[in-house]
Amino acid sequence: MTIDFRSDTVTRPTPEMRRAMADAEVGDDVYGEDPTVNRLERRAAEILGKEAALFVPTGTMANTIGVKLHTEHGQEVICETRSHVFNYELAMLAWFSGCVARPVFAEDGILRWEQIRKAIRPLGPHWAPTGLIEIENTSNMTGGTVYPLEVIREISEGASEHKLSIHMDGARVFNAAEYLGKPVKDVVADVDTVSFCLSKALGAPVGSMIAGSGELMRRARLYRKRLGGGMRQAGVLAAAGLIALEEHPRRLASDHANARFLAEALARIPAIKVDAAKIQTNIVIFDVSGTELPAADFSSRLKAHGVLMNAVNETHLRAVTHYDVSREAAETAARAIAEVASGSVRAQTV
Ligand code: TLP
């Protein structure tokens, strides 16, 4: 049997979700007439403490709309160097919004106001004006790291002095809330818009949300349609999304414990480097360069042991825990990694 740690996007809908999907009351959502979508949007807004929310097919679309809402063509978007909007969204911020990224490197992917302040462009004849600050919470490619609330507060105070908006890519913001032990509305209170994914850690088969003021969401609805995201009888998807939203945040603690467990096991393997104490949520990024195997080869060898994990660069792999992987699966994965590492060239020569 294959154990899939490639992403928390790989989960299958639970039997309860499938039943809810089969029974969902639906209508044409482009006319605003799908009662299940409307319920999901109301609940998401309530839970996030925002005026309104919009159901969209993907996190990429939610972020694309988020960027568009706050910017004009020819502006810069400040984001972290390893952020999803900058690296993994096919340059949508340029393609749809006509903006360029102003990436800023921050320790653990967590931007501080001082770094952002320095990246804001002064008005002048040569510079594209800054249009938006984008923060990713949790920060995926730095290992699921979480923004402390006071850091977000400080960014928000600085941003409002500069009359700049903040969009939070909160694809895994419920993981951040779980880690902080705070309601998710506290985590997003200081940002203008937030996107989050029902289809990642929360386990729905499809769907993301964007939330913010009523006025912004009215515009967001038009951008969603422009992007081809008018989904008609989308209540079948929203029904699974509602279960993900209501039931699954409470499950995230066990994903986090499994990630920490996996990282601790990996830290004991010679030639693998990972700081287990830094694991905050459900993502473990570990260094295999000590094995002298390129990360992609390490990934292929792991696959032969029935364990799927993707390389994220030449030296590191990423493992993401989710509700379809158990503690036993994490144990099996750690054993497979130890075997691949001990079979590597370096291990045989030392
Ligand atoms: N992340 C995926 C890959 O695209 C890397 C994953 O497996 O983690 N924001 C963040 C922080 C994300 O991690 C992702 C997806 C998205 C946005 C985009 O969501 P989708 O895939 O629904 O467009």
Side-chain angles (χ1 to χ4, degrees), residues 271-273 285-291 293-296 298 311-318:
I272 302 287
K273 268 196 289 200
I285 295 184
F286 58 98
D287 183 350
V288 298
S289 57
T291 68
L293 283 174
F298 199 99
V312 292
N313 56 34
E314 287 185 0
T315 51
H316 289 70
L317 275 86
R318 183 184 74 151

Side-chain angles (χ1 to χ4, degrees), residues 6 57 62 72 84-85 102 107 139-140 162 172 175 185-186 195 225 243 270 317 323 328 339 348:
R6 286 172 303 169
E72 291 170 14
H84 200 276
V85 280
R102 169 66 46 189
E107 195 183 340
S139 168
N140 182 353
H162 288 258
R172 298 183 179 83
N175 297 79
K185 55 167 76 155
D186 291 5
S195 58
K225 191 68 172 67
I243 293 172
L317 275 86
Y323 78 68
E328 295 69 49
E339 275 174 45
Q348 284 165 359

Side-chain angles (χ1 to χ4, degrees), residues 238-254:
L242 270 162
I243 293 172
L245 182 65
E246 303 283 5
E247 311 288 336
H248 287 183
R250 67 177 78 108
R251 290 193 44 272
L252 298 176
S254 72

Side-chain angles (χ1 to χ4, degrees), residues 50 59 62 67 79 100 116 135 210 278:
K50 299 289 183 200
V67 170
C79 53
V100 290
I116 293 172
I135 58 178
I210 177 165
K278 278 195 144 179

Side-chain angles (χ1 to χ4, degrees), residues 7 58-60 63 84 89 136 140 169 171-172 200 318:
S7 183
T58 64
T60 300
N63 285 337
H84 200 276
E89 297 186 7
E136 186 174 307
N140 182 353
D169 175 355
R172 298 183 179 83
K200 298 205 169 56
R318 183 184 74 151

